[in-house]
Amino acid sequence: LRTLVTHMYRLGLRNTRGKKVQLNSLSLLLNNTFYTGILNVKDMNFDGGHEPLIAPHLFQDVQAILRGSTNQKVKRHDFRFRKLLSCHACGYSLNGETQKGHVYYRCHTSGCTTKGMREVTIENLLLKPFKATQLYPEESTLLDELLKDTEQEWLVKKQELLSTLKLQAGQIEQRRERLTDCYVEGGLDKETYEERKQKLLFESKEKEAAEKELMQDKPAILAKAKKFLELTKHLVKSYQTGNLEEKRELVQITTSNLVVERKKLMIAMKSPFLELAQRYDLSFGALKRDKLRKHHTTHIYSDINTSAIVGEPLTKEQLKPLLDLILSAVSELPEDNDTTNHDI
């Protein structure tokens, strides 16, 4: 709901009379089907013929939220790794504290064997898996070529899918015509007619949205993959030059778990950073994505001078399974937590 409202105000959204929406008009705005492309005039629904500003499913989700309740939490940002580190022995979060000008993260559970770890040490250890995800220039060039090949294959399939959607849209239009005929002939009362008509209008808008999404779906995924690969090229530099919030964001984007055991830091990478860091195993067909996630997600570092394990540049054939996994991974990422939206 908050995302929708923010989006509306960024667009400078206006009501059906062209006046800019004020805060006290939000209730009317959020219940107005006009923004989905459907006009409601005197309790009668019509296809507005204008470009919808929001998807029908988003409008219906908002209605569900308005009928329920939401809790808003205030975010706090104190230490760089606040609530990002957990204790291996007891499972509790490590607390940040400052001593003699240095930041430490300690477990305060009574009797716990985990000792404190300095923030600078954690940062140096994090750079190891970050470096492992970075591509050689040759690999970047080959992945760009593979992305172009994938795009060409998609263009061939797109027309077939579009034809299917257009056929379904035509069937919905026929159902609307039959419904109108039935109403005119007295076979339905007005309330039932409007209820069924609105349902068909929503179905029609869903098909239109699906067609629009299809036109952008694969290109959008490919664009995400390109931005993801660009991010990995500069991941270490982005972390080193970022401010506190940017560094926290990069850690949350790239890792799913940070566990401290005595003086060791265990780092679990998120997908698709995980696939990139493990690309040398993937290139030989030794691992599939599910196995990789279960058995090869954690890197253990105990010495800040330990070098990240890096192999030789992979060939185009070896990079193919890696690209498939990257495309699959970025397609599953939610838009409001997309790794590719990070400003590098």
Side-chain angles (χ1 to χ4, degrees), residues 133-135 140 144 228-237:
T133 66
Q134 293 189 157
L135 294 163
S140 294
D144 286 341
F228 163 75
L229 294 175
E230 282 297 317
L231 173 60
T232 60
K233 291 178 185 177
H234 311 282
L235 189 57
V236 174
K237 183 178 179 181

Side-chain angles (χ1 to χ4, degrees), residues 102-153:
H102 297 288
V103 176
Y104 291 84
Y105 293 86
R106 304 181 187 278
C107 182
H108 289 184
T109 304
S110 178
C112 186
T113 58
T114 297
K115 306 300 179 182
M117 183 174 280
R118 283 180 60 174
E119 186 171 84
V120 65
T121 301
I122 295 169
E123 288 187 311
N124 280 311
L125 296 179
L126 271 172
L127 292 179
K128 304 307 175 182
F130 285 2
K131 289 178 180 178
T133 66
Q134 293 189 157
L135 294 163
Y136 287 103
E138 305 95 306
E139 293 176 318
S140 294
T141 300
L142 292 174
L143 280 173
D144 286 341
E145 293 178 5
L146 288 169
L147 281 171
K148 290 180 181 178
D149 294 342
T150 303
E151 186 174 11
Q152 290 301 316
E153 293 173 1

Side-chain angles (χ1 to χ4, degrees), residues 63-84:
Q63 304 313 299
I65 293 174
L66 291 175
R67 291 193 294 268
S69 60
T70 57
N71 295 320
Q72 298 198 9
K73 298 180 180 179
V74 179
K75 293 185 178 179
R76 296 170 46 208
H77 300 286
D78 299 324
F79 295 99
R80 188 165 302 159
F81 300 108
R82 189 180 77 87
K83 293 188 177 181
L84 297 180

Side-chain angles (χ1 to χ4, degrees), residues 149-165 214-215 218-219 324:
D149 294 342
T150 303
E151 186 174 11
Q152 290 301 316
E153 293 173 1
W154 167 247
L155 291 174
V156 175
K157 297 178 181 178
K158 185 172 69 173
Q159 290 304 319
E160 297 178 3
L161 296 173
L162 284 174
S163 297
T164 301
L165 282 175
L214 177 62
M215 296 293 291
K218 196 67 173 184
D324 291 339

Side-chain angles (χ1 to χ4, degrees), residues 240-304:
Q240 292 173 330
T241 59
N243 58 33
L244 185 145
E245 292 305 316
E246 290 170 340
K247 289 184 176 183
R248 279 185 62 88
E249 182 184 5
L250 275 175
V251 173
Q252 291 173 312
I253 285 172
T254 56
T255 66
S256 60
N257 202 14
L258 297 175
V259 180
V260 175
E261 181 184 13
R262 296 180 182 272
K263 294 296 182 179
K264 298 178 181 179
L265 178 64
M266 295 180 283
I267 305 171
M269 301 293 288
K270 282 184 180 179
S271 180
F273 296 93
L274 169 62
E275 286 82 353
L276 206 56
Q278 297 288 337
R279 63 186 181 276
Y280 303 107
D281 291 324
L282 287 168
S283 66
F284 296 104
L287 296 174
K288 291 186 178 180
R289 190 176 179 192
D290 56 345
K291 292 183 179 180
L292 185 146
R293 280 178 167 172
K294 292 178 181 178
H295 304 296
H296 296 264
T297 57
T298 304
H299 304 266
I300 301 175
Y301 299 97
S302 58
D303 184 353
I304 63 173

